[in-house]
Amino acid sequence: MLALVAATAVLLAAGGTWVLYGSSWLRVEKVAATGMDVLTAEQVLGAAAVPVGAPLVSVDTDEIEGRVRGRLPRIDSVDVVRAWPHGIGLKVTERKPVLLIKKDANFVEVDASGVRFDTVPKAPAGVPVLELNAGRSPSARRFDEERLLHEAVLVAGALPEPIAKQTVQVKVGSYDSVVLELTGGRSVTWGSGEQSDAKGRALNALLKAAPKAARFDVSVPTAPAASGS
């Protein structure tokens, strides 16, 4: 009896292995990608290079994720899942630009983590352009361009969405001299990138309280000010 049970278990295991790896029942036939805003499904699927026809169980999802992220820097993350019995699904999350760096006739997109992930010929709507003018700043030696870019990204990434869409430029003169240029000729003295979340909330409140003002100061977020008209 024990021998029969053991033999049956071996046969079942062999049969299961054959179904997973040897049969045509559980092989990759369909690959789908979702979550894109800028990229196309064709670009994502091309980068993924999923082996269609391979046993579904043998597909290395980590390897696919690495290929997609390595070949498409615009992608921040990708979740690769098996969709039994014949599919592979890719759910991608693209990086969102919070700041643009002018480069010749193009624009380099920078996300909220400071990653420069793409160069585009046309500035995306609602994303401010960096203007870096720190050459004469006394702190230029201590705070190089990368550090100042980091400050600008902190500021841009902390802007509430309605304000971000109104921000045309982020001007950086030094570590503690960041100024926003808004639509309608309005300007915002921001100061440094410190307490940017609090400054964003203060600016949002100021814009609602003084919609006709031309100049705003949130460098001290506990004492924001508005002036001009």
Side-chain angles (χ1 to χ4, degrees), residues 2-3 5 9 18 30 34 41 52 58 60 68 74 77 106 110 144 164 169 173 175-176 180 196 199 214 216 224:
L2 290 176
V5 170
W18 178 81
K30 298 178 181 179
T34 59
V52 175
S58 70
D60 190 330
V68 172
R74 179 175 291 277
S77 65
N106 299 315
V110 185
D144 60 16
Q169 284 186 320
Y175 166 78
D176 57 357
L180 308 182
S196 281
K199 292 175 182 179
F216 305 87

Side-chain angles (χ1 to χ4, degrees), residues 113-182:
S113 298
V115 176
R116 307 179 201 195
F117 61 89
D118 202 2
T119 300
V120 294
K122 183 179 179 181
V127 184
V129 178
L130 172 66
E131 181 180 305
L132 188 59
N133 186 23
R136 296 182 181 181
S137 169
S139 62
R141 291 185 179 181
R142 182 181 176 188
F143 301 105
D144 60 16
E145 287 194 4
E146 283 301 314
R147 178 60 187 276
L148 296 178
L149 172 61
H150 174 72
E151 293 301 308
V153 167
L154 281 180
V155 173
L159 294 176
E161 186 175 351
I163 297 176
K165 291 181 178 180
Q166 300 177 58
T167 305
V168 179
Q169 284 186 320
V170 177
K171 295 184 175 181
V172 182
S174 67
Y175 166 78
D176 57 357
S177 179
V178 178
V179 175
L180 308 182
E181 294 295 336
L182 308 184

Side-chain angles (χ1 to χ4, degrees), residues 38-76:
V38 177
L39 296 170
T40 65
E42 288 75 16
Q43 288 174 302
V44 175
L45 297 179
V50 177
V52 175
L56 190 60
V57 71
S58 70
V59 172
D60 190 330
T61 56
D62 290 338
E63 187 176 285
I64 293 172
E65 177 184 345
R67 279 200 296 270
V68 172
R69 294 186 65 187
R71 296 173 180 177
L72 298 173
R74 179 175 291 277
I75 291 182
D76 185 30

